[in-house]
Amino acid sequence: MAIHKYAVPLLAAMALVPAHAFGNEPPKVVVKGRHDPSTVVVKGVRDPSAWFRIESQHLIVYSNDDPDDVIELVNNLERLDAVLRLYLKPFLDGREALPKLTLYFQARPDLPPEIGAVDGATTSLTSRCASGTLAFTFGQAKSWKLDNASLLRPEDDYTLMTNFVVYADTFLYRHTRIRAPAWFLTGFDAYFGGMRFTDDQMLVGRDAGTSYNLLQEIDEGRTRRLRFDDVLHDRTVPGMFKVGTNGYYRQWEFLARSFNLVHYMLSSEENRNKMGKYLERVNEGSDSADAFADVFGLSGQELDAAMWRYRQASMKILQVEVPDLPRAHIEFTRLSRIEAGFVLDNAALKTCPAPAAGKTLLARVQQKAAQAPAVDFAQITLARAQVEWGDPLDAIAYLTRAVGNDPYDPERQYLLGLAHAKLAERAGPDRQDQLAAARVRLTDAALLAPEAPDVSYALFRIALMDTAPADKDIGRAIDAWRHGHDVAAFARAAALAHAWLGDAAGAYQVFNTLARNKWDPENAAWATRWLARLEKGVPRDELLVAMRGERTAVPGALSWMHDRR
């Protein structure tokens, strides 16, 4: 497990990054609010809070931590994003643009109770539902800007490590259909969670956590509860285990060996090409170990021996000069004290809470928003709560004025369209008028934000209210899934829509993506049942009934991560 420094224009030593792939633009910061409360005050920002909003090329971040640290964090995440796009290019659809990931980064964990309790070991939370994907991460120590001399230091920054692991994992699920094998997903997060950047250098090949220490213990014979065949066959017990138990050490050894395999697969252009073939084989239903033996020519004791030799001779940590790493183009907005009071409530609403929690949120937001009638962020949050958990009619007047004031804001158009759609569901005498108004507003929202999956999904649900929905309107479900691969509601709708439209290959692709996801057994079982039904043939009217029968108010899928140290 050697450490090597290279001075090369790009990652030519690993054939990862083509020349000038990143561009060579200087950092750009546009301050709209108040960056440093002691030195910068911008007109219009009254009673500034600790909270601020940062928007970059691929991220929207809300935070109450040190602004300079968060700006540096965003810079690093944009660099990681660029590297992930290069590594995963064969699995990405270059035609599709995805909405920016929204990240809430807190100095200390302090989430609304409707999201869930956070214990001392919690380092992150990811929420996926029809309102989109959100990530919550928490500072674990002072975050320092790395320089080239400290890039190889293993104990550098656990806050950065957590955010890298979360971003890599979220990127893989949002942008690709890779859902298996489990060891690849585990090793992938560890590999990219261990990357580090300075302004002109990059560290690659180190893990996020303690995998190297564990692999050393394996080599020294101090622990050996698993073989690589066990990893390929996913022979681990899920759940949390106490430190020192057999289950605990099996999980950590699974992580270490998974990282070892991913490191090997990404170590050369030849292996990366094989990796693509291997993942496609597994995605098509091949056994993970059999496919690995066929593609890489390694199995059983021969695989154990090959990975030992790889660790001794070729498992390297590389520090390389990359002078044209991308920089984040940052727009910084300081939030007022009143706006700050709605940041986490707004986030909680977007996690698609359970009905009881939604009602509680509505009551709290109503009380708080009554004290801020002229603050748009407060009123938009209230409108979302009313549309989703109260009487949508209560939100119509404000949203109509808000759209009139800013017709180019897609969120306002979307919420107004959703309010009309909810009213149409009541099947009153004005149903057709409400449907027409919903279509107009949601179509405008889709034009303003074509990458927004929640808008496409809402248009799809409206189409289902028609007696004979048009093909192009049912196709909105497929648009939603293309822009949100990680949301089960979008995948279920898209799979059924493909089948209804007569696209057997497209239906199989989406159903299979769900079926291969061991982390979501409920939807995996649902997809498996549908695949069996489709083999025998399903009438089109039954598919329409199935689409109309899908639940729209499904609580969000929450994924917690705990300390990896």
Side-chain angles (χ1 to χ4, degrees):
M1 303 167 196
I3 295 173
H4 299 268
K5 290 188 178 182
Y6 291 92
V8 294
L10 289 165
L11 295 183
M14 298 184 67
L16 295 180
V17 184
H20 311 299
F22 294 125
N24 192 22
E25 299 181 58
K28 174 184 175 185
V29 178
V30 179
V31 179
K32 282 191 170 181
R34 189 176 179 185
H35 178 50
D36 181 341
S38 65
T39 59
V40 181
V41 178
V42 178
K43 183 179 179 181
V45 180
R46 299 177 181 177
D47 196 12
S49 71
W51 281 89
F52 53 88
R53 180 184 188 274
I54 284 178
E55 184 168 355
S56 63
Q57 296 96 308
H58 301 101
L59 282 159
I60 295 171
V61 178
Y62 290 91
S63 181
N64 60 354
D65 204 354
D66 181 87
D68 290 327
D69 283 354
V70 180
I71 286 173
E72 185 61 24
L73 171 63
V74 173
N75 239 329
N76 276 283
L77 290 173
E78 285 292 349
R79 291 163 178 164
L80 179 63
D81 183 277
V83 173
L84 286 166
R85 290 176 191 276
L86 289 170
Y87 272 98
L88 293 173
K89 186 175 182 180
F91 306 98
L92 304 180
D93 186 344
R95 300 168 300 173
E96 302 293 351
L98 267 68
K100 297 178 181 183
L101 175 66
T102 301
L103 170 68
Y104 296 83
F105 179 70
Q106 293 180 277
R108 290 174 298 279
D110 184 22
L111 298 179
E114 293 80 13
I115 295 179
V118 179
D119 61 33
T122 302
T123 57
S124 73
L125 166 67
T126 305
S127 169
R128 297 179 173 95
C129 72
S131 291
T133 301
L134 308 177
F136 301 83
T137 58
F138 317 111
Q140 298 176 68
K142 172 68 178 178
S143 183
W144 301 100
K145 179 180 172 66
L146 295 174
D147 56 31
N148 294 343
S150 64
L151 197 55
L152 289 167
R153 198 169 58 209
E155 67 278 8
D156 58 348
D157 192 337
Y158 285 102
T159 296
L160 193 60
M161 179 194 77
T162 296
N163 280 275
F164 272 29
V165 169
V166 170
Y167 195 87
D169 182 77
T170 305
F171 188 98
L172 189 69
Y173 273 84
R174 292 179 78 215
H175 290 262
T176 78
R177 294 184 294 107
I178 300 171
R179 300 294 182 269
W183 69 261
F184 177 80
L185 304 176
T186 300
F188 181 93
D189 292 350
Y191 186 91
F192 287 98
M195 282 192 168
R196 293 294 181 269
F197 302 95
T198 66
D199 289 339
D200 57 4
Q201 289 194 1
M202 171 177 164
L203 182 78
V204 61
R206 192 178 68 198
D207 75 306
T210 59
S211 294
Y212 272 120
N213 295 339
L214 288 163
L215 290 170
Q216 185 175 355
E217 290 185 13
I218 292 169
D219 290 341
E220 293 173 354
R222 288 186 283 155
T223 181
R224 195 168 294 165
R225 290 170 174 82
L226 300 172
R227 293 178 53 199
F228 280 100
D229 264 353
D230 297 319
V231 174
L232 293 177
H233 284 111
D234 191 20
R235 295 190 182 116
T236 57
V237 181
M240 296 287 291
F241 296 92
K242 290 184 179 179
V243 176
T245 63
N246 185 60
Y248 173 86
Y249 286 115
R250 283 178 67 90
Q251 285 189 337
W252 278 107
E253 188 171 337
F254 180 85
L255 169 61
R257 290 183 183 272
S258 297
F259 169 73
N260 189 167
L261 287 169
V262 169
H263 198 295
Y264 171 73
M265 294 173 85
L266 295 173
S267 63
S268 68
E269 185 173 2
E270 179 184 1
N271 278 1
R272 288 191 295 276
N273 289 334
K274 288 180 178 180
M275 179 186 76
K277 296 175 184 177
Y278 169 74
L279 292 174
E280 188 61 34
R281 290 276 298 276
V282 174
N283 183 61
E284 292 299 321
S286 296
D287 176 81
S288 172
D290 291 344
F292 198 93
D294 290 343
V295 175
F296 289 93
L298 297 170
S299 63
Q301 292 183 352
E302 185 180 5
L303 174 59
D304 291 336
M307 290 302 100
W308 179 85
R309 290 193 299 271
Y310 178 74
R311 291 196 298 275
Q312 304 309 307
S314 304
M315 198 170 188
K316 299 173 182 177
I317 299 173
L318 302 178
Q319 180 175 351
V320 294
E321 290 189 7
V322 189
D324 44 5
L325 279 168
R327 304 288 185 89
H329 293 186
I330 290 174
E331 184 177 294
F332 182 101
T333 305
R334 177 70 69 174
L335 301 182
S336 71
R337 180 183 58 81
I338 294 175
E339 289 173 322
F342 291 88
V343 168
L344 294 176
D345 287 334
N346 189 275
L349 287 166
K350 293 179 180 179
T351 64
C352 306
K359 296 289 186 182
T360 302
L361 264 171
L362 170 62
R364 185 168 70 245
V365 170
Q366 279 179 322
Q367 184 178 18
K368 292 164 61 176
Q371 308 302 314
V375 179
D376 275 332
F377 189 51
Q379 297 305 312
I380 283 287
T381 303
L382 173 60
R384 181 179 287 275
Q386 290 169 329
V387 169
E388 295 179 346
W389 299 110
D391 186 348
L393 193 59
D394 294 340
I396 292 287
Y398 167 74
L399 288 172
T400 300
R401 292 196 305 274
V403 167
N405 292 335
D406 187 358
Y408 300 106
D409 184 333
E411 182 181 23
R412 300 179 184 202
Q413 295 278 9
Y414 166 70
L415 288 175
L416 183 54
L418 197 61
H420 284 297
K422 295 275 188 178
L423 293 172
E425 290 176 358
R426 296 178 176 179
D430 62 345
R431 182 174 186 271
Q432 292 304 318
D433 291 338
Q434 296 289 357
L435 278 176
R439 281 195 184 92
V440 169
R441 295 306 178 188
L442 290 171
T443 300
D444 286 346
L447 290 172
L448 292 167
E451 75 285 359
D454 51 346
V455 176
S456 296
Y457 186 68
L459 282 166
F460 161 72
R461 298 302 309 179
I462 285 178
L464 292 175
M465 297 185 197
D466 288 337
T467 305
D471 287 5
K472 66 179 181 64
D473 295 329
I474 293 297
R476 293 283 192 175
I478 299 169
D479 294 337
W481 184 70
R482 285 174 176 163
H483 296 121
H485 278 317
D486 58 335
V487 176
F490 300 157
R492 289 171 66 123
L496 293 169
H498 272 299
W500 189 82
L501 292 168
D503 180 5
Y508 173 79
Q509 183 184 78
V510 187
F511 276 123
N512 189 51
T513 300
L514 284 168
R516 302 295 297 170
N517 187 1
K518 65 162 285 185
W519 310 111
D520 186 0
E522 179 183 347
N523 285 304
W526 176 87
T528 301
R529 290 193 299 270
W530 267 104
L531 284 169
R533 289 187 64 186
L534 289 171
E535 285 185 3
K536 300 175 182 178
V538 179
R540 204 165 187 245
D541 58 347
E542 288 188 25
L543 290 164
L544 187 57
V545 169
M547 286 189 285
R548 286 173 172 159
E550 284 286 291
R551 292 183 299 158
T552 56
V554 181
L558 301 180
S559 175
W560 300 86
M561 190 175 84
H562 298 276
D563 199 333
R564 299 170 71 96
R565 282 175 279 184

